[in-house]
Amino acid sequence: MPKAGSPGFPADAKRILVIKHGAFGDVVQAEGALRDIRENHPGAHIAVLTGPAYRALLERAPSVDEVMVDARSPRWRVGRMLALRKRLRAHRFDMVYDLQNSSRTAFYFRWMLHECRWSGTAPGCSHPHRASDPKKIRTFDRLAGQLADAGVTVRHTHAPDLSWVADDVTALLEKAGAKEPYILLVPGCSARHPQKRWPFYDKLAAALIAAGWNIVTAPGPDEVELARAIPGACIEGTSWNELAGILKHASFVIGNDTGPSHLAAHMGVPGLALFGAHTPAERTGILRETFAAIEVEDLSGLTVRRVFDEVTRRLNAHSNSV
């Protein structure tokens, strides 16, 4: 295993590409890995290749010098693939840290950047992640293992710092009539994973309002109708940075296994994630000192009473510890 400063470690890399296409929660969780890459290559120009939705977010990241957008066109669109290859090769990268490790990025290694030193799982790359089955490893352990296998000294990967993300949303909250203290609900998730959605946020909101809490939702573009059916203030059309500001002001967050919930967890906001059998919460990296999860076989069988009681218990414990 190469170590920082050894012949196997690319300490001389001056132009580095980090690939992290998404999704949002994965981008958030990679923040600590980005900091470790920066610390190990302090003088390098670091570019991140990501999806269009995360450009504005990553342009603020302190560890990043440049954000490159990849629309992830179908690979049979040969003209677009050739254009992307030309764009990537023009940057003359010395080193690639592939934090996405997908079949697409393995294709990029083979056909676009094969001459580059490459950290990841792409067959034949110079700095392979040596875990036998990386997909079964917890998110942060997987990232840390990959970087360590490439010789990177790991200090921050397990502890993302998202303090730089949040906008000042005082005026936004006032305009929406969102009164503090409030609980933020995250009822949506990717349309591709409906099994991740707990169906009773409207009833939970009513119970929390009856208990004296203000309720806020801040839906994504595909979740507006869902959020409008939930009692409380609905803040629509927010950017990722505005969402982070809304999370920062929340007293508590309750959400599905989706990006905003992960962002809240790594901002240190107290909260609770609701997980079905789709994946263990522990493997996703969402469990933190202030952020917990309820895990059940089927989210449709998770009662409002159980969630309400757990939220109440955690709110009381948090207020007593402050």
Side-chain angles (χ1 to χ4, degrees):
M1 182 187 303
K3 296 295 184 182
S6 74
F9 176 69
D12 61 332
K14 300 302 182 186
R15 299 191 64 81
I16 292 171
L17 178 67
V18 179
I19 305 177
K20 194 62 189 171
H21 284 130
F24 178 67
D26 297 328
V27 172
V28 165
Q29 290 178 330
E31 192 279 336
L34 281 170
R35 275 192 290 151
D36 279 328
I37 292 169
R38 166 56 71 199
E39 280 197 358
N40 282 260
H41 301 280
H45 179 91
I46 297 178
V48 174
L49 184 69
T50 191
Y54 314 117
R55 178 175 188 167
L57 176 72
L58 286 169
E59 283 178 339
R60 289 196 182 187
S63 302
V64 174
D65 298 304
E66 179 183 2
V67 177
M68 303 177 68
V69 173
D70 180 7
R72 286 182 287 179
S73 300
R75 277 171 265 179
W76 54 263
R77 299 295 296 268
V78 177
R80 294 185 182 181
M81 291 297 98
L82 289 172
L84 178 61
R85 182 173 70 172
K86 181 178 180 181
R87 184 158 59 104
L88 291 174
R89 288 184 171 182
H91 279 69
R92 300 185 181 277
F93 292 113
D94 304 301
M95 180 71 192
V96 178
Y97 290 95
D98 178 9
L99 302 186
Q100 193 68 30
N101 288 314
S102 63
S103 60
R104 172 178 289 274
T105 58
F107 170 80
Y108 288 2
F109 169 67
R110 290 194 307 272
W111 298 105
M112 299 184 186
L113 295 169
H114 189 73
E115 70 282 359
C116 287
R117 289 172 288 189
W118 188 288
S119 164
T121 60
C125 69
S126 62
H127 294 71
H129 181 21
R130 302 185 186 281
S132 58
D133 192 349
K135 290 185 178 180
K136 291 186 177 180
I137 303 174
R138 293 182 300 178
T139 298
F140 295 121
D141 291 341
R142 183 175 70 248
L143 289 168
Q146 177 181 336
L147 294 184
D149 283 344
V152 172
T153 300
V154 175
R155 297 200 314 122
H156 305 295
T157 297
H158 285 89
D161 176 9
L162 281 302
S163 59
W164 50 269
V165 177
D167 273 351
D168 181 354
V169 294
T170 305
L172 188 65
L173 293 172
E174 184 176 346
K175 181 179 179 181
K179 297 180 180 179
E180 297 184 52
Y182 62 79
I183 294 175
L184 180 75
L185 302 184
V186 185
C189 69
S190 169
R192 296 177 298 164
H193 301 290
Q195 75 278 12
K196 292 185 177 183
R197 290 192 179 188
W198 185 56
F200 306 122
Y201 281 97
D202 55 343
K203 296 179 176 60
L204 177 65
L208 290 168
I209 289 170
W213 282 96
N214 299 308
I215 297 297
V216 172
T217 56
D222 300 329
E223 304 161 351
V224 172
E225 293 304 316
L226 176 66
R228 286 177 178 173
I230 296 172
C234 181
I235 307 175
E236 301 175 19
T238 59
S239 67
W240 292 123
N241 302 101
E242 289 169 334
L243 173 61
I246 295 167
L247 289 168
K248 184 177 179 180
H249 282 260
S251 296
F252 201 83
V253 174
I254 308 163
N256 300 320
D257 174 20
T258 188
S261 301
H262 287 268
L263 177 58
H266 301 305
M267 290 178 63
V269 181
L272 184 69
L274 310 180
F275 273 72
H278 57 278
T279 192
E282 194 257 355
R283 188 182 296 170
T284 70
I286 200 170
L287 302 179
R288 314 302 285 176
E289 183 177 350
T290 60
F291 214 94
I294 292 178
E295 297 184 72
V296 294
E297 188 67 25
D298 183 355
L299 281 171
S300 64
L302 177 59
T303 66
V304 173
R305 171 52 60 183
R306 182 178 174 187
V307 177
F308 178 87
D309 288 347
E310 183 65 13
V311 169
T312 301
R313 184 183 74 80
R314 290 189 172 277
L315 281 167
N316 289 338
H318 180 68
S319 63
N320 291 335
S321 66
V322 175

